[in-house]
Amino acid sequence: MFTCPHCGATARTRTSRRLSELTIRQYHQCQNLECSLSFTTLNSVERVVTKRIRCDDVPPDFVPRDAFPASHYGDNQLSLAV
Ligand SMILES: [Zn+2]
């Protein structure tokens, strides 16, 4: 939520337009009836903080060991789930 750059009141986001894959322009309107200023902001990805392993980086038959409870593997294969 942004504040109005003119009067400091709360501004409501009215709509947005995608400018690129990583950038969106948002249109805001001041909620102060005596001001009602409309303005835009740019919302873009600044940097990646974490990155997960891509699906094609692991074998297609890969199943994490903790994907299922131990009971899923049965009593004789309990060591697979540990
Ligand atoms: Zn305002």
Side-chain angles (χ1 to χ4, degrees), residues 69-81:
S71 60
H72 173 81
Y73 298 99
D75 293 337
N76 57 349
Q77 296 181 359
L78 189 59
S79 60
L80 290 176

Side-chain angles (χ1 to χ4, degrees), residues 2 19 28 32 36-37 39 55 57 61 69 75-77 81:
F2 278 88
L19 300 181
H28 309 272
N32 177 358
S36 297
L37 181 76
F39 60 97
C55 290
D57 289 343
D61 59 344
D75 293 337
N76 57 349
Q77 296 181 359

Side-chain angles (χ1 to χ4, degrees), residues 2-54:
F2 278 88
T3 57
C4 174
H6 180 69
C7 73
T10 301
R12 173 177 283 179
T13 303
R14 307 302 294 185
T15 189
S16 62
R17 299 276 189 273
R18 180 176 297 277
L19 300 181
S20 70
E21 188 72 25
L22 302 177
T23 304
I24 295 173
R25 175 174 286 144
Q26 293 180 315
Y27 293 78
H28 309 272
Q29 185 172 29
C30 176
Q31 295 300 287
N32 177 358
L33 293 177
E34 295 181 1
C35 176
S36 297
L37 181 76
S38 294
F39 60 97
T40 63
T41 58
L42 292 176
N43 189 355
S44 60
V45 175
E46 178 188 20
R47 64 188 171 110
V48 175
V49 178
T50 61
K51 182 179 181 184
R52 301 187 73 176
I53 297 174
R54 293 173 34 153

